[in-house]
Amino acid sequence: METVAMDHLAIGAFVLFGIAFVVLVVWVSNLLSPKGVDTPDRLEPYECGSEPVGPPWVQFRVGYYVYALLFVVFDIETVFLYPWAVVYGQMGVFILVEMVIFITILAAGLGYAWKEGALRWR
Amino acid sequence: MSPALATIVKLLSIIALMLTNGVFMIYLLRKVLGHLHIRLGPMHVGPHGLLQTMNDVIKLLTKEDLTPRIADKALFYLAPMIVFVPSFMAYLALPFSDTLKATSLETGLLFTFAALSVVPIGILLAGWSSGNKWGLLGGMRSAAMQIAYEVPLLLSVLPIVMISGTADLGGIVDAQAGTWLAVVPRWFITNPLLWPTFIIFVISSLIEANQTPFDMSEGESELVGGFGTDYSAMKFGLVYLSEFSNTFVISALGVTLFFGGWLVPWLPMSWYDAVPVLAPTVFILKTYLGIVLMWWIRGTYPRVRIDQLMDLGWKRLIPAALVMIVLTGVVDKLIVPLFTGAVS
């Protein structure tokens, strides 16, 4: 129990240290680096030397929007499979039957999305 | 040693490892890719260009840090952090030896994947916030890549969790100790049932590590610099440090899952206690072999298109991974007991 608490504390410590490291490195780099004079051209985004036309946040077709919706479902389903896989070895054949049913439903969903044309880049 | 002090030691040794890896891997990448292209790679700074990367670090530190005028300033500063911190945390669960690991989380495998899957969000933010059209396209591609690889990657390692009965990376290594018939080491790569799993894992981990058949978020021949076009100085350096570090972590995961982690075949367990540096050395050597293999693929194959990548992920890898889970279960619970006579 003690080590589990320490492990989770270590995760928190790592997050804080990581943030501090990034701040420190960027700060040191800013101390060491020269500061040029800002002309209007210098701060333009780099588009191979020509002046940018229009705003940078252009609208374009996100070809993978339907994939993204499916991805959310499948990602969560996959995480559900992990607890099952961990206890799998300790249980009988029954746990296998259960999971075959679960995976069949998952595969049926994927097959349906495929047939309906959701898995097509457009 | 008090727990707080132990945590600080772990923190410092992992950041040191990450920085050393970064510096060394960049040199190695240039040399490996150079020799694959039949050229020499860096040769001038130091013997055989050994100090070239050190030189580059100094250069990155002293370069001016430019922010485009129309960039989203807050996100532009936040993005390198969101990329760097999770890839730093991905080292937490890696077992360098029986005792040398930052934590022994029971969910170590899932934790590592969770940490690595935050990185593309940071890359998307980096691309979007820099106010650059190349960056925006690169960031959106990075999101598309995450959608393509993450589910197959998570599914492909499930058979290993089933066989070893734990998601703790240290436990998975322990499950690979010993030999089959006193000859073949019990590494999971020697189990033919797991070979398709290994192929799925390798393909999805190449996408995860942004290696060249799947590097369309950066794609310098089509998107200039992709998500990092307008990043300069150390913000750029941090993003690329975490790219290299992710390659190391994903290769280390492959070594842990399939190649017995820090184990040496046929070596009695007492040796690891007698020579404490043996296990970490073996682990890091194996990891570097995996990295060189990834770069070999990188130097050999052309980039795929993003819709081909989606097809690969969703129409090939995910169904294959689902089949492998069921097949592993059936073989393990129904067919193997037929031979051993232990039907449960």
Side-chain angles (χ1 to χ4, degrees):
Chain A
M1 205 57 229
E2 184 68 13
T3 51
V4 173
M6 278 319 295
D7 281 353
H8 287 91
L9 216 62
I11 296 175
F14 267 64
V15 176
L16 291 180
F17 184 84
I19 294 172
F21 182 79
V22 174
V23 171
L24 180 81
V25 167
V26 172
W27 179 68
V28 168
S29 153
N30 271 328
L31 280 187
L32 293 176
S33 62
K35 300 283 169 290
V37 184
D38 285 344
T39 58
D41 284 350
R42 220 164 75 99
L43 295 180
E44 287 299 324
Y46 178 72
E47 289 189 5
C48 311
S50 57
E51 279 182 29
V53 178
W57 292 289
V58 289
Q59 293 193 325
F60 58 89
R61 199 179 179 89
V62 182
Y64 54 88
Y65 182 69
V66 187
Y67 287 97
L69 294 179
L70 274 176
F71 168 74
V72 174
V73 177
F74 269 80
D75 218 20
I76 292 169
E77 304 268 15
T78 309
V79 173
F80 282 157
L81 281 166
Y82 269 81
W84 167 79
V86 170
V87 296
Y88 163 86
Q90 305 156 15
M91 306 273 185
V93 177
F94 182 67
I95 194 171
L96 179 64
V97 177
E98 276 185 330
M99 196 38 63
V100 168
I101 294 171
F102 184 80
I103 288 179
T104 310
I105 296 172
L106 209 64
L110 183 66
Y112 179 72
W114 194 340
K115 184 172 159 287
E116 288 290 300
L119 302 187
R120 205 171 59 220
W121 188 272
R122 46 184 130 203
Chain B
M1 193 156 49
S2 79
L5 190 64
T7 310
I8 293 172
V9 170
K10 285 169 185 170
L11 270 171
L12 293 179
S13 42
I14 286 187
I15 196 90
L17 176 71
M18 189 175 175
L19 296 175
T20 326
N21 266 338
V23 169
F24 182 65
M25 278 172 72
I26 293 169
Y27 172 74
L28 192 67
L29 171 72
R30 287 171 171 176
K31 278 291 183 195
V32 168
L33 280 186
H35 284 282
L36 280 173
H37 296 161
I38 321 183
R39 50 186 176 81
L40 291 172
M43 285 300 280
H44 289 290
V45 189
H48 282 264
L50 261 171
L51 298 175
Q52 180 68 50
T53 349
M54 293 311 295
N55 209 12
D56 290 344
V57 171
I58 294 167
K59 180 180 146 181
L60 279 175
L61 265 172
T62 53
K63 278 281 173 185
E64 187 177 357
D65 197 357
L66 280 173
T67 307
R69 187 175 42 81
I70 45 174
D72 189 325
K73 303 273 184 319
L75 287 181
F76 192 75
Y77 278 86
L78 197 63
M81 209 178 268
I82 298 177
V83 173
F84 179 83
V85 174
S87 69
F88 173 52
M89 287 171 68
Y91 283 82
L92 264 173
L94 291 183
F96 288 91
S97 81
D98 204 10
T99 47
L100 192 68
K101 49 191 168 185
T103 61
S104 44
L105 295 167
E106 276 184 43
T107 51
L109 182 59
L110 214 50
F111 178 84
T112 313
F113 282 139
L116 288 177
S117 69
V118 181
V119 174
I121 298 171
I123 290 178
L124 172 62
L125 270 183
W128 187 86
S129 65
S130 55
N132 184 306
K133 295 184 188 89
W134 301 121
L136 180 64
L137 284 173
M140 295 306 266
R141 283 187 183 190
S142 163
M145 281 162 65
Q146 181 175 29
I147 286 167
Y149 80 74
E150 198 164 274
V151 177
L153 186 62
L154 283 167
L155 284 175
S156 71
V157 296
L158 264 172
I160 289 171
V161 180
M162 284 160 70
I163 291 175
S164 53
T166 173
D168 172 15
L169 290 172
I172 290 175
V173 175
D174 292 339
Q176 300 176 67
T179 50
W180 302 100
L181 307 169
V183 184
V184 185
R186 291 178 75 103
W187 297 356
F188 287 138
I189 193 70
T190 60
N191 184 347
L193 191 60
L194 293 174
W195 289 346
T197 297
F198 179 65
I199 293 170
I200 301 170
F201 176 83
V202 167
I203 297 176
S204 2
S205 59
L206 281 175
I207 310 174
E208 153 78 60
N210 269 349
Q211 295 299 334
T212 277
F214 314 107
D215 71 335
M216 49 288 271
S217 74
E218 197 187 328
E220 62 265 27
S221 55
E222 28 189 289
L223 290 184
V224 186
F227 62 90
T229 306
D230 260 320
Y231 273 86
S232 51
M234 218 42 213
K235 292 214 279 290
F236 172 87
L238 284 170
V239 171
Y240 275 84
L241 177 62
S242 70
E243 289 272 299
F244 277 92
S245 153
N246 289 350
T247 310
F248 180 85
V249 169
I250 202 83
S251 173
L253 262 187
V255 165
T256 310
L257 293 173
F258 292 95
F259 293 92
W262 40 268
L263 294 167
V264 184
W266 313 294
L267 203 64
M269 283 310 241
S270 54
W271 281 52
Y272 300 107
D273 298 329
V275 192
V277 291
L278 178 65
T281 313
V282 167
F283 183 76
I284 288 177
L285 276 180
K286 280 185 188 175
T287 306
Y288 268 99
L289 271 179
I291 291 169
V292 170
L293 201 70
M294 282 162 101
W295 286 340
W296 191 0
I297 297 172
R298 173 177 177 158
T300 317
Y301 284 90
R303 188 179 301 134
V304 303
R305 247 177 20 230
I306 191 106
D307 59 321
Q308 293 170 332
L309 172 69
M310 279 294 185
D311 274 0
L312 179 69
W314 283 88
K315 296 181 182 167
R316 308 279 180 278
L317 297 183
I318 291 180
L322 288 175
V323 167
M324 283 322 295
I325 294 169
V326 175
L327 198 66
T328 310
V330 168
V331 170
D332 192 56
K333 284 273 191 240
L334 300 177
I335 296 179
V336 171
L338 283 184
F339 294 102
T340 56
V343 179
S344 50

